[in-house]
């Protein structure tokens, strides 16, 4: 009788493990836990030649390519196909998922990762710099409630 296979990680079980660079509200582990049901392993990272902007009337940021600038964030590792689908849905059609090269600040390694880039380069609503610490202080509680509602709605749609 063959012994059972060793337990697989959730990423390995789906046949794919992705890296995703996050730079805004998804840097909050509380938000990620609500969306994915876990907080994947991560490393601090920098995205070169991009800039993070505030968006008029919104509490989340956008990034666009801008030579000479860099965006601080983190790279989530071991993202499953299913989790990537949740993130794609959460980020909505205003963002385009692209593969970028990010520098891991804890190892100086450069790795490919997905990032959600703002789709409208000439958007007049983009301005200034978005501040994660200010967002956490002012908006995290309400954003978590919105995220929980989004996740519940997504689960209802998937179970129909």
């Amino acid at each position: 009788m063959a012994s059972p296979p060793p337990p697989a990680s959730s990423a390995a079980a789906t046949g794919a493990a992705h890296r995703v660079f996050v730079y805004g509200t998804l840097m909050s582990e509380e938000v990620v836990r609500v969306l994915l049901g876990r907080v994947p392993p991560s490393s601090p990272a920098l995205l070169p030649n991009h800039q993070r902007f505030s968006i008029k009337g919104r509490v989340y940021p956008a990034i666009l390519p801008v030579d000479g600038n860099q965006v601080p964030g983190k790279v989530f590792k071991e993202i499953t196909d299913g989790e990537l689908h949740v993130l794609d849905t959460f980020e909505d059609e205003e963002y385009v998922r692209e593969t970028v090269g990010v520098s891991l600040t804890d190892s100086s390694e450069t790795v490919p990762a997905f990032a959600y880039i703002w789709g409208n380069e000439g958007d007049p609503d983009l301005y200034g710099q978005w501040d994660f610490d200010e967002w956490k202080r002012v908006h995290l509680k309400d954003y978590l409630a919105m995220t929980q509602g989004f996740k519940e709605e997504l689960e209802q749609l998937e179970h129909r």
Side-chain angles (χ1 to χ4, degrees):
M1 182 165 146
S3 60
S9 75
S10 59
T14 66
H18 306 283
R19 289 187 196 102
V20 178
F21 174 76
V22 297
Y23 55 85
T25 62
L26 293 175
M27 289 195 304
S28 164
E29 291 188 354
E30 299 98 323
V31 172
V32 172
R33 187 174 288 109
V34 168
L35 280 177
L36 304 182
R38 71 181 185 109
V39 178
S42 67
S43 292
L46 291 172
L47 175 61
N49 296 315
H50 284 75
Q51 184 172 336
R52 181 171 55 190
F53 296 93
S54 292
I55 309 169
K56 285 182 194 162
R58 312 207 192 174
V59 300
Y60 50 86
I63 59 172
L64 286 173
V66 175
D67 285 343
N69 288 355
Q70 59 185 9
V71 175
K74 65 170 82 169
V75 172
F76 283 114
K77 305 168 188 174
E78 301 174 20
I79 298 291
T80 67
D81 287 343
E83 290 169 337
L84 190 60
H85 171 73
V86 170
L87 294 174
D88 285 347
T89 305
F90 186 71
E91 292 296 346
D92 209 6
E93 71 258 357
E94 292 175 309
Y95 292 90
V96 178
R97 178 169 37 100
E98 297 181 9
T99 301
V100 296
V102 294
S103 299
L104 303 181
T105 58
D106 56 1
S107 69
S108 299
E109 183 183 6
T110 298
V111 298
F114 290 129
Y116 294 93
I117 311 294
W118 193 247
N120 180 0
E121 284 193 33
D123 192 333
D125 290 339
L126 301 183
Y127 69 97
Q129 290 279 347
W130 185 84
D131 186 294
F132 178 67
D133 292 326
E134 178 184 344
W135 172 83
K136 276 180 72 170
R137 191 175 58 255
V138 176
H139 299 290
L140 177 60
K141 184 178 176 186
D142 289 341
Y143 200 83
L144 280 172
M146 181 280 301
T147 303
Q148 183 64 46
F150 167 86
K151 181 64 173 171
E152 289 169 3
E153 190 175 312
L154 185 62
E155 287 171 350
Q156 288 174 357
L157 291 172
E158 290 177 351
H159 292 343
R160 285 186 180 176

